[in-house]
Amino acid sequence: DGGITQSPKYLFRKEGQNVTLSCEQNLNHDAMYWYRQDPGQGLRLIYYSQIVNDFQKGDIAEGYSVSREKKESFPLTVTSAQKNPTAFYLCASSPWGGQTKNIQYFGAGTRLSVL
Amino acid sequence: AQSVTQLGSHVSVSEGALVLLRCNYSSSVPPYLFWYVQYPNQGLQLLLKYTTGATLVKGINGFEAEFKKSETSFHLTKPSAHMSDAAEYFCAVSDRERSNYKLTFGKGTLLTVNP
């Protein structure tokens, strides 16, 4: 089945530690996105990538980093500079052009907590 | 910048009653419009979308939404609520004049369905 796989489902971070969230898609989509979800805040865009080896900051990029070395993969690193990392993180992808452009498909999410 | 307002962070209805979830957007040019549903600890699933054409859009699970340009609204309705409709619902917009297809989300409306 085609889809988006996020791992792990739950993740714990210690003070001063960097952690990486995995996002893999087999939908052959060009664009990928990372969102942060906090209760009552909706989804806020962290980073997005329209093509391999290129990515753009979203609305809340500080304290996060990404890479896009392969079309299928868009990992997110939560660095120690992110002082309030506890949240639900969602990865999404979308095709680029065609009738289904603009539709984003989401993974099941990773819940990150601070120890 | 675009913004999305969802009136009512929590809506409660009885099983079999009408569901009405409100969404208003701010944009000088009508954007692409979406409704997503999120069940607890899961990702988002697309319910329906409006891009062009007929302003009444039908989606999955019996939901529909009507785009009203004069009111800058895209309210979501379902004639008869079912217990399985209990979830959080997000309205989102995408600027049709830009090519990056970013989505701006509302803060969500939690729907509870009472037996």
Side-chain angles (χ1 to χ4, degrees), chain A residues 4 11-12 14 19-20 36 48 58 63 68 76-77 80 86 94 105-106:
Chain A
I4 301 174
L11 186 58
F12 297 91
K14 296 180 181 179
V19 292
T20 298
R36 171 179 171 141
Y48 65 101
R68 187 87 186 276
L76 173 74
T77 297
S80 57
T86 297
S94 67
Y105 298 83
F106 285 80

Side-chain angles (χ1 to χ4, degrees), chain A residues 9-28:
Chain A
K9 189 171 179 64
Y10 299 96
L11 186 58
F12 297 91
R13 194 190 89 166
K14 296 180 181 179
E15 289 288 334
Q17 187 181 43
N18 293 352
V19 292
T20 298
L21 285 61
S22 171
C23 178
E24 303 277 333
Q25 56 101 357
N26 61 5
L27 299 168
N28 199 33

Side-chain angles (χ1 to χ4, degrees), chain A residues 9 33 35 37 40-43 45 48 50 59 88 90 95-97 99 101-104 106-108 111, chain B residues 32 34 36 38 41-46 49 51 88 90 94-95 99-103 105-108:
Chain A
K9 189 171 179 64
Y33 312 80
Y35 293 91
Q37 185 178 18
Q41 295 298 313
L43 277 71
L45 182 65
Y48 65 101
Q50 300 173 345
D59 301 317
F88 192 51
L90 288 161
W96 202 249
Q99 291 295 314
K101 65 182 179 183
N102 303 95
I103 299 176
Q104 293 187 16
F106 285 80
R111 189 165 297 280
Chain B
Y32 297 120
F34 306 83
Y36 283 85
Q38 183 181 35
N41 292 311
Q42 294 187 25
L44 275 66
Q45 180 184 6
L46 181 69
K49 71 180 178 80
T51 54
E88 190 156 23
F90 293 93
S94 178
D95 189 343
S99 62
N100 58 27
Y101 304 146
K102 289 194 301 179
L103 290 179
F105 285 86
K107 294 188 175 183

Side-chain angles (χ1 to χ4, degrees), chain B residues 9-64:
Chain B
S9 59
H10 187 191
V11 170
S12 182
V13 300
S14 298
E15 192 173 18
L18 171 72
V19 175
L20 171 61
L21 304 181
R22 300 177 187 275
C23 173
N24 289 87
Y25 65 89
S26 67
S27 173
S28 57
V29 176
Y32 297 120
L33 296 152
F34 306 83
W35 275 100
Y36 283 85
V37 60
Q38 183 181 35
Y39 298 99
N41 292 311
Q42 294 187 25
L44 275 66
Q45 180 184 6
L46 181 69
L47 275 179
L48 49 79
K49 71 180 178 80
Y50 171 77
T51 54
T52 59
T55 56
L56 182 62
V57 180
K58 295 187 184 298
I60 62 172
N61 302 338
F63 284 93
E64 62 183 35

